[in-house]
Amino acid sequence: GAGVSQSPRYKVAKRGQDVALRCDPISGHVSLFWYQQALGQGPEFLTYFQNEAQLDKSGLPSDRFFAERPEGSVSTLKIQRTQQEDSAVYLCASSLLRKGVQETQYFGPGTRLLVL
Amino acid sequence: QKEVEQDPGPLSVPEGAIVSLNCTYSNSAFQYFMWYRQYSRKGPELLMYTYSSGNKEDGRFTAQVDKSSKYISLFIRDSQPSDSATYLCAMRTMNRDDKIIFGKGTRLHILP
């Protein structure tokens, strides 16, 4: 079946612009995660949803970052007033349920954001 | 000091060689250890996971955990050009609210 999809795959924004990144998780996956991966680094956790509830947003770097998942499926990560340091790949992952440690997170291909 | 340390490479080895990839960590509460493979411009995919110290084998891949030394390894036997990718170690505690912590990844090139 289809995996996690993300759009757009690439986004170039001028500093100060707002951007919205979309994630379509695997159908039926309850848990959804957003990560930020800077060049040459591993993914770093941003936020986590279980269905429509945002249970953990401790990794969001500033109040310019906002995520939502209003119907418990598609999620959007919004970055307001983008800064150059926001340039990174934004990865979305989904899993059946974040319960114990046996679930596998399936990652999308990421959205590569470049802020000029 | 970061919680998880991983040499970024790049590591270049000839086809057919045994590859050894390693990570060290500082948080003794980590109990669940994973290796992800990430091809260029793709998302990470889970290769292997282990719960405890010791070895776990899956085909050409062996994951090894030494909790006493806070050291984990991934061995790739009979390496192939298609193994060329970035390999990320990752780990977490057993607390369901805790996040996965990734290493920065090691870039591996298998030379034909």
Side-chain angles (χ1 to χ4, degrees), chain B residues 28-112:
Chain B
S28 58
F30 286 143
Q31 299 287 331
Y32 184 57
F33 304 93
M34 295 157 278
W35 285 95
Y36 284 81
R37 178 175 61 195
Q38 187 173 24
Y39 290 113
S40 181
R41 307 207 183 268
K42 302 285 188 184
E45 58 176 328
L46 182 66
L47 271 179
M48 298 184 70
Y49 65 88
T50 56
Y51 287 105
S52 58
S53 284
N55 293 356
K56 181 176 180 180
E57 190 173 316
D58 184 1
R60 296 185 295 111
F61 297 89
T62 299
Q64 190 174 79
V65 175
D66 181 350
K67 287 186 178 178
S68 62
S69 302
K70 297 189 180 70
Y71 188 87
I72 69 170
S73 300
L74 178 71
F75 298 97
I76 307 174
R77 291 183 298 281
D78 187 25
S79 55
Q80 306 294 313
S82 58
D83 295 328
S84 298
T86 295
Y87 289 80
L88 298 152
C89 64
M91 49 199 78
R92 59 177 286 186
T93 72
M94 296 298 283
N95 184 332
R96 60 175 290 174
D97 294 326
D98 280 353
K99 310 161 189 53
I100 295 176
I101 307 298
F102 286 86
K104 61 173 55 180
T106 299
R107 285 191 295 139
L108 174 66
H109 300 291
I110 306 299
L111 306 170

Side-chain angles (χ1 to χ4, degrees), chain A residues 32-34 45-50 52-60 67 98, chain B residues 95-100:
Chain A
L32 186 145
F33 305 81
W34 283 98
F45 171 85
L46 293 177
T47 187
Y48 160 62
F49 290 85
Q50 187 171 311
E52 69 278 3
Q54 189 174 20
L55 299 187
D56 187 345
K57 54 183 181 179
S58 61
L60 296 176
R98 191 181 192 183
Chain B
N95 184 332
R96 60 175 290 174
D97 294 326
D98 280 353
K99 310 161 189 53
I100 295 176

Side-chain angles (χ1 to χ4, degrees), chain A residues 63-78:
Chain A
D63 59 6
R64 296 186 295 104
F65 286 71
F66 172 77
E68 60 183 6
R69 194 186 185 197
E71 297 179 357
S73 55
V74 171
S75 177
T76 303
L77 176 67
K78 297 179 180 178

